[in-house]
Amino acid sequence: MDLGINVIEMLLYLVAIIGFAAINAAYLVWVERKGAGHIQRRTGPKEVGPYGLLQPLADGAKLMSKQLIIPAGVDKPLFMVAPLLAMVPAVMIFVTIPFSENLVARDINIGLLVIFAFASVNVLSLLMGGWASRNKYAVISAARAVSQNVAYEIPLLVMTITIVLVSGSLNLREIVFSQAGAFWHWNWLPTNGNFLGPITFIMFFICYLAETNRAPFDLGEAESELIAGFHTEYGSMGFGLFFMGEYANIVIGSALIVILFLGGWYSPFPEVVPFLGSAGVWWFLLKMYLLIWLVVLIRWTFPRVTLWSLLNLSWKILIPFSLFNLLASAGLVKFLG
Amino acid sequence: MNKANVIQELKALASEGMPEEPEVAAVAEEAAPEAEEGGKAKKAAPPEPRKNGLLEVDYARRGVHVDVQVAADQVVRAAEIVDAAGMTLEAVTGVDWINDKELEVVYDYAYTGGECFRVVVRARIPRDEANIPTITEVFAGANWHERETFDFFGINFEGHPQLEYLLLPEDCDFHPLLKDFKGC
Amino acid sequence: MAGYFTNILSGTKSLLVGLSITQKEFFKKPVTLQYPWESLEMTPRYRGHIQLIKDPETGSHKCISCGMCQRGCPSNCITIHSEKQEGVKGKVLVKYELDFTKCSLCGQCIENCKPSAIEFSKEYNLASTRKEDFHYDLLKRLKEQK
Amino acid sequence: MSSQALSQNNERFEVNLGPQHPATHGVLRVKLLMDGEYIVDAEPVLGYIHRMHELMGENRTWAQFLPNMGRLDYLSALSYNLGYVELVEKMAGIEVPERAEYIRVITTEMNRISSHLLWFGAFVLDLGGFTPLLYAFTDREEILDLLESVTGARLTYCYYRFGGCYNDVEDEFLSGCLAFIKRLRARMPMYHNLVTKNVILRQRLERVGPVSAEMCRKYGATGPVLRGSGVNYDVRKNEPYSIYPELDFDVPVYHEGDSMARYMVRMDEIEQCMRIIEQAIAKIPSGPVMAEKVPKMIKPEPGDYYHAVEAARGTFSIRAVSDGKNQAYRMKLRSPTFSNLSLFQEASKGMLLADALALMGSLDLVIPEIDR
């Protein structure tokens, strides 16, 4: 009996998560287009539905009804699997994310590890897609994506270890619990033994931009150099899945930053403030969407970096800083805590 | 850059081919602008093709200061002279003088380092044997200009590193700026 | 070493300035025009394809079929058909053909026209999938305007 | 596989950049021989929109060739119009009324601003920044509206005539130009804050794609490319035409020779253009805009004529050979980007793909003008 309820619960969670991921990814496209429009003094989509709100559905219908073209000479199995690999791990990660104190599909003790394990599959999909396309631009793009991901995964993990050190847990809920309270308790400020908090936060944010291949680090799909990069040869829903996967990854990254640095579902105000002071899922979502907006704004503001300056940034600035940060925090935790 | 020097050297170069009457160039220098401009008067008898030599022409009217005509095998040395003076190559082009059965290759040089000074060097070659040495060794930029001239006139620039069609399709077999080109 | 840190700081500052600019622009009103729903008035000098001017006195055109427009046209897009008619002095225009696909709107025909019989129209909403749609008979067009 | 096949050369591969590629702004094709991300050799392949304008020049009367000038460089068509009408005026000895000269300078400089603004946007787009393009377009659109109110066209102008201009300008146009300059002056700091000072852009442009003054000389590069390499050469100053000697403006010169220098030259040139327009509007006399005695049929005396003007991309010059007829015997059009692009093959050797594209963008290519 328990098992049956568990299964039903599990299925419900699964449906909810896939729905959440899909809707977020689809509407992020709308936010991006609408946002880009207004940033550039245009209106963005406005014809399909009020304020163009039905545009993502129209786009989806169009992508799904398009013919799936498999160019001659591609490595067919790899070519087909790559877009799936872009989307599926992204959905899987949502399983471990705690949106509020109780709203989590699977509360896993090693949640952080699970996230990084699945997130690292993403680069594999880019590599597979680029390689299988048998297109020179796609291959260059795949090579870029791999070197970029390798370079940025190191500081990303080192900084995560710092947070784990000060929080004392790999469980995402525990990490949020350790930041309980108003905003000065959160990890982005020099609290809880991590006195380089703000720098860690900014560096983590940069790494997350690079890991999700977002501008200004979108070297893999630098359209003025590599046309569309690894998905040059993809059309129809193959492209659609890459696209959705990219946006799902943005949601995940933002959610992760909210959990690690911005106090998860806790309100930024002290609890004595009426109404605004209470914690809840809305605070989580608000923080997450603000971060996403920042990502969108960055994309439409900056030019793209080159590969060498991207790698320089990682090896010369981020990795030394994050290692120093880790040592300092470890020392502080050891001597103070 | 010393203008007088360049003029002197070019003059010497142009008169090299015809050493027997060095005064002719000097005479042409004064007489030629009128001769050119008074072309109408001589309409009955088409003017003789110009002899090699240097002319200092009216800049305000013609847009160039010095106009040199040299023999085909002297263009490289002419290019070296203007190169040594620090001038730049603006263009290479051709003119088809079909009535004289000759093609003319025209090199436009300009000085970009200060006061304006424009030199045009020209050389005439027979139409049916249109060969002229390349000046890409002196001015790398001549590469494309010469290829373009080859496209339009079929002039063979001897020693050119890559004399292929530049603007026209690589498989075309005509040279559109020749006056006997009748469309394709 | 000091340069290393000041570089990072000044770089970060330039990025933040950039972000604040785009964020400010975000709140401004769009400057675009929603074309099918709104459209601009063409300026008086706008050059659409040429048309015959209607003479308010006679209600007809002023063309004397001299053919100067046709001769001056760089792209040979004007063809004039005229004929001798009894009782009328000079030739009478029967058809003013304009091949607008070749026209470059240089205005030489209008300058060449002694009786000032042609002018630029303000037509700009022209689109078609067939090029025959741009072969106009300006005389017919003038009559239809009546 | 033999050991030879495994040697280093086997790692090289060819990539066709274009003719349809986002970075080439038209139909330019560059045959790249790459070693990983490094360029071993980059050979531009031209001619995809070659239209043989020079042959058209031989088959049309002097006046009929005028509309062709708007089709060479569609971004600064008025400079080309100006170059051609001044050449023909020189040949036929036509005096141009002063007001017409002022109108020509004002409209040409407006056109130069619009060309530089579009280049600015497209260049930043090449570097991956999308938004500055549309900001630049908002400003450029105002220029186009102003020019449209005078010339009747937005891009392929055919406004100047031998001996003057097609029509006079109204005072609203002049005040509109002044209002636009005021607006653009206020916008320039925004461009500099958003783009010029941006650390990412500086990293991408500084010390990237250096072109020496000597290389420019050997290849005949002119315009902002030459001025970005430290050579103070501007036809408007060195070989003055029209009323430029009466106006006070500077020629921006940068000595670094990298892409940033070329960028800064163009940005500074926008400011200088604004100065020129302001002075010209302040000085513009009243009077006719067309010379009284313009021969109906222009038959210049036989001989060679040469005239050069400073277009937005460099020296545009025409060599016309007349045989006394009302058509040219030979019409050579010397376009600036043709020479500017020819140095790309040498300059891009050993560069990274992304840097080479930054270099190519900084040359400011307009393909119809290269191919003619």
Side-chain angles (χ1 to χ4, degrees), chain A residues 139-149 213 218-222 225-226 304-305 307 310-311, chain D residues 37 353-354:
Chain A
V139 172
I140 298 177
S141 157
R144 281 182 177 190
V146 171
S147 59
Q148 178 180 345
N149 273 270
N213 287 320
D218 55 345
L219 291 173
E221 41 196 299
E225 296 153 30
L226 304 177
R304 184 181 301 114
V305 301
L307 189 64
L310 175 97
L311 297 179
Chain D
E37 287 243 5
L353 178 61

Side-chain angles (χ1 to χ4, degrees), chain C residues 37 50 66 72 78 94 111 115 121:
Chain C
W37 322 121
I50 54 167
C66 62
I78 300 173
V94 290
E111 277 188 322
S121 68

